[in-house]
Amino acid sequence: MASEFDLIRKYFSRPTHQTPLGVGDDAALIAPDAGMALAVSTDMLVVGTHFLPDANPFHVGWKSLAVNLSDMAAMGALPKWATLALALPTADEAWVEQFAAGFFMCADKYQVDLIGGDTTRGPLTISVQIMGEVRANQTLLRSGAKPGDEIWVSGKLGDAALALAALQGHHALDQDELDACLSALNTPQPRVELGLLLNVMVHSAIDISDGLLADLGHILQASNVGAEINLQHVPCSHIARSRLADPLVQQMVLAGGDDYELCFTAPVRNHAEIAKMATLIGVPLTRIGTITEASGLVVRGLDNQIININKPGFDHFA
Ligand code: ADP
Ligand code: MG
């Protein structure tokens, strides 16, 4: 059976590009470039809570870093360094090998160095800390939304929740639909490039990890404003769209979670520039509503009537 040190040497020690001292000493060393602030965030994945016990370790590895990169995107930061704290029930080398392959596939795509961590025995838990650089005056915060701002969302919402519902037997999907939704659930693509480009064009931003309503709710609370959005405008795949009359699917799109898209608010005068930038980088952006002076979140349904988001089925938000 491999020891802790075998696992670290074999699977988690890689050459670094963003610092000369990564894994191997008592601490790694990093230095942000002159004039840049360090953005730091941690996200933990616990078996049974954030992924199913039989989840493919490659996907768990990808996702454990990707969800952290999504937080960097939401801050407008460039991710550079990560640490990885890993609790494993046994030194299952086959699992660790696949986990590391997924983790480093994501790390290589976004040019992030794994610079340290900790490895111990325990219930399967993965805690990643991500660090990145951001110009202090160009940080995207939750607190800057202003009445009249347009509310934008990147990509499509709801497919990850649809996949999870299908895996749990709550909702039937065809095989090709399931495959498409599973890729949203298993290998989310964090919007790092988008976050870096939004900087001065937007007033507030957040990444959608707990569902649109909950995360937009955080912007509203931090900014002391309200919002009105329209379900008809919320971007979703043709798979969700074709089922959108089903209240359960509406809930997955509005409140499902695991989307890792960005939600941001921006003044109307920047609309054309934002749309142009989105086309340039090939990220779909959709305007879903407006920030209001009156507090509260009003959601209009397919018939344009207000949906009661506090009724059962939406208690995720309540
Ligand atoms: P210490 O006893 O000083 O905490 P460890 O034996 O835990 O050191 O770790 C040895 C080295 O390996 C350290 O540089 C640590 O950051 C790194 N390390 C441990 N586990 C991991 C991991 N899962 N991923 C990346 N680096 C790790
Ligand atoms: Mg240690």
Side-chain angles (χ1 to χ4, degrees):
M1 180 94 40
S3 77
E4 170 191 340
F5 302 105
D6 296 334
L7 292 178
I8 297 168
R9 195 183 57 250
K10 206 161 157 192
Y11 298 110
F12 298 116
S13 302
R14 296 263 184 118
T16 54
H17 306 282
Q18 318 277 13
T19 173
L21 192 65
V23 170
D25 217 305
D26 294 308
L29 297 178
I30 58 173
D33 286 345
M36 305 298 272
L38 199 57
V40 183
S41 178
T42 304
D43 250 329
M44 187 151 77
L45 269 65
V46 179
V47 67
T49 305
H50 301 97
F51 61 95
L52 301 170
D54 61 351
N56 179 327
F58 182 94
H59 294 148
V60 177
W62 174 284
K63 194 163 175 175
S64 66
L65 181 58
V67 301
N68 279 276
L69 297 179
S70 183
D71 285 318
M72 291 287 103
M75 293 301 285
L78 176 65
K80 285 195 161 179
W81 310 278
T83 62
L84 166 67
L86 198 56
L88 301 166
T90 60
D92 179 349
E93 258 199 87
W95 193 94
V96 172
E97 183 180 7
Q98 281 307 301
F99 172 88
F103 187 97
F104 281 110
M105 171 88 77
C106 187
D108 290 345
K109 175 166 179 186
Y110 292 91
Q111 294 172 294
V112 169
D113 283 344
L114 179 65
I115 59 165
D118 203 19
T119 306
T120 183
R121 187 187 298 276
L124 187 57
T125 305
I126 302 125
S127 179
V128 173
Q129 182 177 55
I130 186 80
M131 288 150 284
E133 288 180 344
V134 63
R135 238 171 250 297
N137 61 352
Q138 290 183 2
T139 313
L140 308 177
L141 301 181
R142 299 176 176 188
S143 53
K146 305 266 187 304
D149 275 5
E150 295 181 321
I151 304 168
W152 296 78
V153 164
S154 67
K156 298 174 238 157
L157 306 184
D159 278 3
L162 265 170
L164 187 60
L167 291 182
Q168 296 176 330
H170 301 320
H171 200 89
L173 295 175
D174 298 340
Q175 189 59 47
D176 55 332
E177 294 176 328
L178 179 62
D179 291 344
C181 291
L182 278 175
S183 88
L185 178 69
N186 291 331
T187 49
Q189 308 289 319
R191 299 299 191 181
V192 172
E193 189 183 15
L194 175 63
L196 290 169
L197 291 173
L198 286 177
N199 55 51
V200 292
M201 287 191 284
V202 310
H203 281 158
S204 69
I206 194 166
D207 71 316
I208 305 175
S209 53
D210 294 330
L212 171 65
L213 298 185
D215 289 316
L216 175 57
H218 293 314
I219 285 186
L220 303 185
Q221 194 177 24
S223 303
N224 204 16
V225 292
E228 179 163 334
I229 65 169
N230 195 317
L231 174 60
Q232 298 187 55
H233 299 152
V234 175
C236 56
S237 67
H238 67 278
I239 303 164
R241 178 80 51 200
S242 66
R243 296 168 164 81
L244 208 50
D246 179 345
L248 205 69
V249 177
Q250 293 186 6
Q251 192 190 344
M252 290 175 199
V253 170
L254 291 171
D258 258 359
D259 297 302
Y260 303 105
E261 295 293 347
L262 294 187
C263 174
F264 58 92
T265 79
V268 180
R269 65 171 185 278
N270 291 344
H271 186 107
E273 203 184 340
I274 290 170
K276 194 172 129 198
M277 177 272 300
T279 309
L280 265 176
I281 63 171
V283 173
L285 289 184
T286 311
R287 189 209 157 178
I288 62 163
T290 309
I291 295 293
T292 58
E293 206 160 330
S295 65
L297 175 51
V298 173
V299 183
R300 292 193 180 274
L302 297 179
D303 53 4
N304 228 30
Q305 299 299 305
I306 294 174
I307 301 179
N308 183 356
I309 54 179
N310 294 316
K311 75 169 192 245
F314 277 101
D315 48 8
H316 183 111
F317 181 67

